[in-house]
Amino acid sequence: MAKLLKGGIVVTAHGRRQVDVRIEGEKISEIGTNLSTEGAEVEDVSGCYLLPGFIDAHTHLELNNGPGSQGSADNFYTGSRAAAAKGTTTVIDMATPTKGQSLKDCLAVWNGFSEGKSSCDYTYHMSIIEWNEEIKQEIGEMIAAGITSFKMYMAYDNLRVTDGELFEAMRELKKYGAMLGVHCENGDLVNEKIRQLVSEGKATPHYHPLSRPDAIEAEAVERYLMIANEAELSVNIVHLSTRRSLDAVRRARQRGQKLYVETCPQYLLLDDSVYDQPNFLGAKYVCSPPIRKVDDQKALWEGIADGSVNTISTDHCSFNFEGQKTLGREDFSKIPNGMPGVETRPEVIYTAGVAAGKMSLEKMVALLSENIARQFHLFPQKGILQEGSDADIVVWDPELRGVIAAATQLQNVDYTPYDGFATKGGATAVYLRGEKVAQGGEIVNEKQGHFVYRKVPSAD
């Protein structure tokens, strides 16, 4: 039976209109005023916005962060349930091989993590942590398998590549029209700063941001963009966090370079005072890049307003405080890096952005859905409510009130960085490809997620 959502206001990145939405099967079949209710199950959504399902383009739902960390607290089952419950209907997870592992084998491992377990749709960025002839030959195989985006690192000794390898990889990715995202920090300087601070007995969470100052990110952003310009590849900067980095982006764009910028909620809502909480609680906020200064936060909001920032994803990577973060009590560099966020992103961005007057709802739809879909070859299947698109629909009540709390979250982790944060606006119902999967913030139909095959426009 068809479904008819009646009386709501459909919002895109470019406007809004009060229309009915008919769903048949997995797709939106009709949008218009006063659509016939015949043969349809009708849901009255008056007073609510109808938003395209949110897309989180940066998650680590399955991650082992080194000896003793026991892997991330969330996995595809728990993380996807938390995502879908609050309106995120697609995630792009970071598939990360081990040294010596083929990309094909890594893809098989991630499919094993996700197939039959995910409550939202999913695809992957394939991480390239080493560059050789075998990996080069696999790029085309990944494209053929529907993986059109890749991730590389300029920091972390077990993940990073050299500038020369980065350049060669870029040249190969350009042949396929693929998208590359890079973690931009100067890995050598990070290592040296950590060594210096710990040797001086400066080992508490307070020193984590001091080991990775804004210059270390900005220098890597400048270098990354220079290499990308030489390779003539449009690229993505993931989790950009500083004013200096944003200034580098603006200079590159003024020179005519095409690039994309992602930031995350933690850099928009928190500042580096979180690292000075008593009783080691600052460890909860250890992530890289670290939480920055108030001025950097201000710069990112300015970047959202002027279009310098293209997308907001989470870098969701959850480790429990007890038993995982506490591994670094004597040495902040041993605290597993990462924070949870896949569940809370829509509510905190609406509250801190739309309800606070810092952005329009249309801008939020662009940053959390449509821009991501366009950038990562998901559009128009995802990212917009129009006839023929997947019926991924968030019924959003702008007056819904709530308080984020670790005790009530669906994320499988013992804290949230936004504990006690009062929210305004939230998802009252979530549809994934036409099926209602969440109601009132709870999952009502789990494990409905499918792999989304992507295709670059030029790869016919």
Side-chain angles (χ1 to χ4, degrees), residues 26-275:
E26 297 188 345
K27 302 291 185 180
I28 295 172
S29 61
E30 192 176 6
I31 295 179
T33 56
N34 300 316
L35 296 184
S36 170
T37 61
E38 186 176 349
E41 175 187 325
V42 179
E43 180 165 348
D44 183 359
V45 292
S46 300
C48 292
Y49 296 114
L50 300 181
L51 312 179
F54 303 123
I55 305 166
D56 194 335
H58 193 157
T59 64
H60 300 270
L61 296 183
E62 303 273 356
L63 181 70
N64 190 314
N65 210 33
S69 68
Q70 300 99 37
S72 53
D74 276 305
N75 54 28
F76 257 95
Y77 174 69
T78 62
S80 68
R81 292 178 87 255
K86 298 301 178 72
T88 295
T89 53
T90 305
V91 297
I92 311 181
D93 202 60
M94 301 292 173
T96 308
T98 56
K99 287 280 185 170
Q101 186 180 39
S102 69
L103 303 186
K104 180 180 178 181
D105 286 348
C106 178
L107 179 57
V109 169
W110 250 255
N111 283 337
F113 289 150
S114 57
E115 286 177 352
K117 304 179 185 73
S118 184
S119 292
C120 60
D121 281 356
Y122 57 90
T123 182
Y124 319 115
H125 303 296
M126 180 56 66
S127 296
I128 300 172
I129 65 169
E130 52 193 333
W131 185 251
N132 52 47
E133 191 60 32
E134 290 75 19
I135 297 296
K136 179 179 179 180
Q137 295 301 320
E138 286 194 281
I139 299 299
E141 295 179 27
M142 292 298 102
I143 299 291
I147 306 297
T148 67
S149 52
F150 297 80
K151 172 80 176 289
M152 298 180 78
Y153 294 80
M154 299 171 81
Y156 301 120
D157 289 348
N158 62 322
L159 297 172
R160 61 178 168 141
V161 296
T162 67
D163 289 354
E165 290 168 334
L166 183 58
F167 177 64
E168 289 300 319
M170 286 179 177
R171 292 177 65 189
E172 188 66 19
L173 294 175
K174 179 176 169 57
K175 295 177 184 178
Y176 298 94
M179 175 56 61
L180 176 66
V182 166
H183 177 119
C184 294
E185 290 183 297
N186 185 312
D188 287 338
L189 286 183
V190 168
N191 290 348
E192 180 56 26
K193 294 282 284 186
I194 290 172
R195 187 202 63 76
Q196 177 187 358
L197 289 166
V198 174
S199 71
E200 294 172 354
K202 299 173 179 177
T204 66
H206 170 83
Y207 295 99
H208 171 65
L210 301 182
S211 73
R212 312 175 98 101
D214 61 351
I216 278 179
E217 178 185 280
E219 183 277 335
V221 167
E222 293 264 21
R223 185 157 39 98
Y224 172 43
L225 293 179
M226 177 274 293
I227 297 168
N229 194 52
E230 291 299 312
E232 299 180 335
L233 181 70
S234 299
V235 292
N236 187 39
I237 301 169
V238 303
H239 51 46
L240 184 141
S241 67
T242 74
R243 179 181 290 277
R244 290 181 67 169
S245 297
L246 204 55
D247 287 344
V249 163
R250 292 189 176 112
R251 288 193 296 270
R253 284 176 169 153
Q254 287 169 359
R255 294 191 299 266
Q257 191 166 354
K258 185 176 180 181
L259 63 113
Y260 301 89
V261 172
E262 167 200 283
T263 195
C264 306
Q266 56 266 33
Y267 305 121
L268 294 166
L269 276 81
L270 306 174
D271 65 74
D272 60 357
S273 64
V274 296
Y275 295 113

